[in-house]
Amino acid sequence: MNTELASNVNWVGYVDWPVRDFHGYQTKRGSSYNAYLVKGAGKTALIDTVKGPYAESLKRNVAALCPLTEVDYLVCNHAEPDHSGALPAMVAACPNATVVCNAKCKDALERHYATEGWRWQVVKEGETLDLGGRTLQFFDTVMCHWPESMVTYLQEEEILFSMDIFGQHYATSCRFDDEANMEEVMQEAKTYYANIVLPYARPVETAAKKLLGLKLRIVAPSHGVIWRAHFDRILSAYLDWRVSKPARKVIVLYSTMWQSTRRMAEAVAQGANETPAEVKLLDLSVVGDTEVITELMDCAAFAVGTPTLNQGLMPRVAACLTYARGLKPAGKTAFAFGSYGWASKGAEEAEGYLKAMGCTLLREPITCRFVPDEATLEACRAAGRALAGVAVQVP
Ligand code: FEO
């Protein structure tokens, strides 16, 4: 496996092939935690670490390139444990190393780990660190993805270690974009954006504008492949995703108890299918939230169906809408529907989530008692046509 970004600049991270649940994010293609070793003429820096359980692998990768006693700096761009988890082990293994981070990160690390005895070098925006013929420069990227998030730029090689920005949860034996399957890379980059970056789209845009003023030959994120050939593709995609730029696509998602809400969902999809819009019908009993939010991010319109259960939503619908409400894809038109037995509550509660997400409501909820009759199904088809009518207007 080629791990060399430039002479004496190497990937030393960990590829997490089996991980399928990343704090609720369903990582169907695994992930990687990227750490990088940069050797200058006089000093050596490790940029970020890996998840705690994989500290031994990180130590081995570093030791293959230089004795651990010769590591001078442990740069921590981000305190989240997928990148800082192995930091305590590295501090212990590298007796001459100083931890380099910003003030907020130092505070966060002190709250996560037993840091007594650690040596620190707290850096500010734009500050540099001389490794001997090689210069690291640090830039704060607040809320990309935590308040202390920072990126590191290797000036002479024009390499940006971009932390979570431009990452993908994607396990591969290839370290570079031009070696990997780009269709899979871009799909996982999109899923990553929808599930991680979306609520921070504005700060990421601000940070990107600042960082694009740098000369960028290589952009090395903390997850997935390193961008050295196709950075233009991920940059262009980020511009679209930041506004949840809609496609001519309608999503119908639902959960059902005794098939009534399923029949309503199918009628909505049937109506939408009478137009040129792309239509996807997602049964929440088999489709996970990670996939749903990725579909919602670039749809123009969607409908959500739930029966009333115990005076509320079906649990899968509640979970999915809670997840989507937090990530808040922008600019969608939507409505709710569903069946009930003796008191209609579920669809109305779902509509409350749609309002909280800032959706434009197409219409009031469509509900029916127990089983939809033909009039109800026709109302669903008409609503599906109207929803798709919004989608096909997308330029
Ligand atoms: Fe990959 Fe915000 O950590």
Side-chain angles (χ1 to χ4, degrees):
M1 180 168 67
N2 173 26
T3 62
E4 189 178 81
L5 286 74
S7 175
N8 286 322
V9 181
N10 287 80
W11 177 94
V12 288
Y14 183 80
V15 180
D16 195 348
W17 288 95
V19 66
R20 289 294 180 272
D21 183 337
F22 192 96
H23 59 48
Y25 176 150
Q26 291 122 16
T27 46
K28 69 178 182 183
R29 289 193 173 102
S31 189
S32 72
Y33 318 112
N34 296 341
Y36 302 94
L37 193 74
V38 180
K39 294 168 80 174
K43 302 283 186 184
T44 297
L46 175 66
I47 299 177
D48 294 309
T49 71
V50 298
K51 264 188 183 175
Y54 312 120
E56 289 305 315
S57 170
L58 176 62
K59 278 188 224 170
R60 277 195 303 275
N61 289 346
V62 173
L65 296 165
C66 92
L68 295 176
T69 50
E70 292 180 14
V71 175
D72 300 286
Y73 300 109
L74 299 169
V75 176
C76 184
N77 282 313
H78 182 21
E80 193 164 12
D82 50 333
H83 309 296
S84 73
L87 186 57
M90 293 309 292
V91 170
C94 303
N96 300 311
T98 295
V99 175
V100 178
C101 63
N102 64 29
K104 284 184 200 160
C105 190
K106 179 172 184 281
D107 176 68
L109 292 171
E110 286 171 338
R111 292 169 190 279
H112 276 81
Y113 309 113
T115 59
E116 293 80 9
W118 288 22
R119 281 188 297 279
W120 301 92
Q121 183 166 338
V122 174
V123 293
K124 292 184 179 154
E125 167 77 12
E127 203 169 317
T128 58
L129 183 65
D130 182 14
L131 302 181
R134 282 188 154 159
T135 313
L136 299 180
Q137 189 170 21
F138 307 103
F139 296 97
D140 292 329
T141 51
V142 178
M143 297 316 296
C144 312
H145 141 237
W146 281 11
E148 85 296 347
S149 292
M150 178 179 93
V151 297
T152 297
Y153 180 59
L154 176 54
Q155 290 180 343
E156 290 78 6
E157 301 293 342
E158 300 171 356
I159 299 174
L160 178 68
F161 301 99
S162 64
M163 184 37 61
D164 283 337
I165 311 172
F166 306 124
Q168 329 96 52
H169 281 314
Y170 183 51
T172 167
S173 58
C174 309
R175 298 277 55 83
F176 296 95
D177 56 357
D178 51 305
E179 298 171 341
N181 178 328
M182 273 303 292
E183 297 317 306
E184 289 185 0
V185 170
M186 290 306 295
Q187 179 57 49
E188 293 310 324
K190 179 180 176 182
T191 303
Y192 184 89
Y193 193 102
N195 285 272
I196 300 282
V197 182
L198 199 51
Y200 311 110
R202 189 68 61 84
V204 167
E205 184 181 7
T206 303
K209 278 181 184 157
K210 175 169 71 175
L211 300 171
L212 289 175
L214 303 169
K215 284 186 180 170
L216 300 178
R217 195 171 61 81
I218 295 178
V219 175
S222 54
H223 299 286
V225 300
I226 297 161
W227 303 96
R228 68 177 179 187
H230 302 296
F231 182 61
D232 55 328
R233 284 188 66 176
I234 188 69
L235 189 61
S236 161
Y238 262 53
L239 294 176
D240 288 347
W241 297 335
R242 82 189 195 284
V243 289
S244 301
K245 186 180 175 185
R248 294 178 174 181
K249 185 169 83 171
V250 172
I251 302 298
V252 183
L253 53 105
Y254 71 97
S255 197
T256 197
M257 289 174 69
W258 297 109
Q259 310 308 319
S260 291
T261 300
R262 178 185 62 77
R263 290 179 62 198
M264 296 172 79
E266 288 174 348
V268 173
Q270 186 185 354
N273 261 326
E274 292 172 18
T275 78
E278 178 188 4
V279 181
K280 290 191 179 180
L281 185 62
L282 304 181
D283 176 352
L284 294 177
S285 70
V286 292
V287 179
D289 297 338
T290 300
E291 183 178 341
V292 171
I293 193 66
T294 307
E295 294 290 353
L296 289 184
M297 181 170 76
D298 67 352
C299 76
F302 70 98
V304 56
T306 177
T308 296
L309 175 69
N310 301 329
Q311 301 201 51
L313 300 168
M314 284 285 277
R316 269 300 291 128
V317 179
C320 185
L321 290 180
T322 300
Y323 191 65
R325 182 180 60 186
L327 293 166
K328 222 172 186 173
K332 311 302 175 193
T333 297
F335 75 96
F337 61 93
S339 69
Y340 63 95
W342 45 96
S344 181
K345 301 277 189 185
E348 290 78 358
E349 199 172 321
E351 186 183 77
Y353 279 86
L354 301 181
K355 288 177 181 170
M357 289 168 64
C359 296
T360 299
L361 294 180
L362 179 81
R363 53 158 298 154
E364 71 282 3
I366 302 175
T367 61
C368 72
R369 190 159 181 229
F370 287 122
V371 175
D373 58 14
E374 180 49 33
T376 301
L377 293 175
E378 180 47 36
C380 289
R381 285 190 284 269
R385 281 191 290 272
L387 206 56
V390 172
V392 297
Q393 285 172 21
V394 169

